[in-house]
Amino acid sequence: MAKILIVEDDLQLAGLVSRWLTKDGHIVEHTQNGGDGLQRLRFDHYDVIILDWNLPEVEGIDILKDFRSRGGVTPVLMLTGKKAIEDKLMGLGEGADDYLAKPFDGRELTARITSLLRRPHTLVSSNLIAGDIEIDIKSHTAKRAGQILNLMPKEFALLE
């Protein structure tokens, strides 16, 4: 079971993809504009991100650039109507792990998501240490001087 964020402004398509992935046992969150997608990626953790290119407020490619520049390692699948090879090269060059053009077959999408989930996210530790504070990004736990801190999700995100 993975936590997946879909950033897609086509509500019908997002609903369909969400139902497919939920049926496969995943937890799916959806937002329909780039600004909200950008905020969610700054304050929450996902196992896979499905990102459209053309979005209201902030374009998907700019969300991807921002996410990668801040050290984001979560696999990103660009799901977009942009089919030109130049667009694919740009998306992959900016840090997308996979690229799927619309229209697509749902079986291919789920196969690609499964493939992304099999890959190791990073070769570095999921622990961040600063002084006597240690946080584990994967388990969303924090310790100070070895004592577990009981933090709300927003507090954890700010600490991270």
Side-chain angles (χ1 to χ4, degrees), residues 82-147:
K82 290 183 161 280
K83 300 176 185 180
I85 189 66
E86 293 81 14
D87 296 322
K88 292 177 183 181
L89 292 174
M90 178 186 255
L92 294 167
E94 291 296 343
D97 297 279
D98 203 350
Y99 194 105
L100 184 60
K102 301 172 190 173
F104 59 91
D105 187 298
R107 296 171 296 180
E108 182 178 5
L109 175 67
T110 55
R112 288 173 182 255
I113 295 295
T114 301
S115 175
L116 289 172
L117 289 168
R118 277 196 308 258
R119 296 179 190 171
H121 292 263
T122 180
L123 299 176
V124 298
S125 172
S126 66
N127 290 346
L128 300 174
I129 300 171
D132 66 346
I133 297 175
E134 179 179 351
I135 64 172
D136 186 327
I137 296 170
K138 287 186 181 178
S139 68
H140 285 252
T141 58
K143 295 179 184 177
R144 182 168 186 216
Q147 298 293 321

Side-chain angles (χ1 to χ4, degrees), residues 13-14 17-19 23 27 32 53-54 58 66 69-70 84 86 91 97 108 118 121 123 126 129-130 143 147-148:
L13 176 63
V17 170
S18 182
R19 284 190 297 278
K23 191 173 113 182
I27 298 167
Q32 61 187 17
W53 192 307
N54 294 318
V58 181
D66 179 79
S69 74
R70 289 183 297 98
E86 293 81 14
D97 297 279
E108 182 178 5
R118 277 196 308 258
H121 292 263
L123 299 176
S126 66
I129 300 171
K143 295 179 184 177
Q147 298 293 321
I148 294 178

Side-chain angles (χ1 to χ4, degrees), residues 2-6 41 45-51 64 67-68 71-78 95-99 112-122:
K3 184 176 175 185
I4 300 173
L5 175 65
I6 301 172
L41 291 177
H45 170 77
Y46 299 91
D47 298 305
V48 173
I49 302 158
I50 299 173
L51 187 59
L64 177 61
F67 182 66
R68 293 297 188 223
V73 296
T74 301
V76 175
L77 172 87
M78 294 293 295
D97 297 279
D98 203 350
Y99 194 105
R112 288 173 182 255
I113 295 295
T114 301
S115 175
L116 289 172
L117 289 168
R118 277 196 308 258
R119 296 179 190 171
H121 292 263
T122 180

Side-chain angles (χ1 to χ4, degrees), residues 9-80:
D9 60 337
D10 181 334
L11 294 177
Q12 185 176 3
L13 176 63
L16 185 61
V17 170
S18 182
R19 284 190 297 278
W20 285 334
L21 296 173
T22 301
K23 191 173 113 182
D24 283 347
H26 302 296
I27 298 167
V28 180
E29 292 183 15
H30 168 249
T31 184
Q32 61 187 17
N33 73 65
D36 187 41
L38 195 58
Q39 286 301 105
R40 287 182 189 221
L41 291 177
R42 287 185 178 154
F43 296 109
D44 208 347
H45 170 77
Y46 299 91
D47 298 305
V48 173
I49 302 158
I50 299 173
L51 187 59
D52 188 12
W53 192 307
N54 294 318
L55 294 165
E57 295 184 25
V58 181
E59 287 201 336
I61 196 73
D62 295 324
I63 294 170
L64 177 61
K65 288 177 189 178
D66 179 79
F67 182 66
R68 293 297 188 223
S69 74
R70 289 183 297 98
V73 296
T74 301
V76 175
L77 172 87
M78 294 293 295
L79 183 63
T80 177

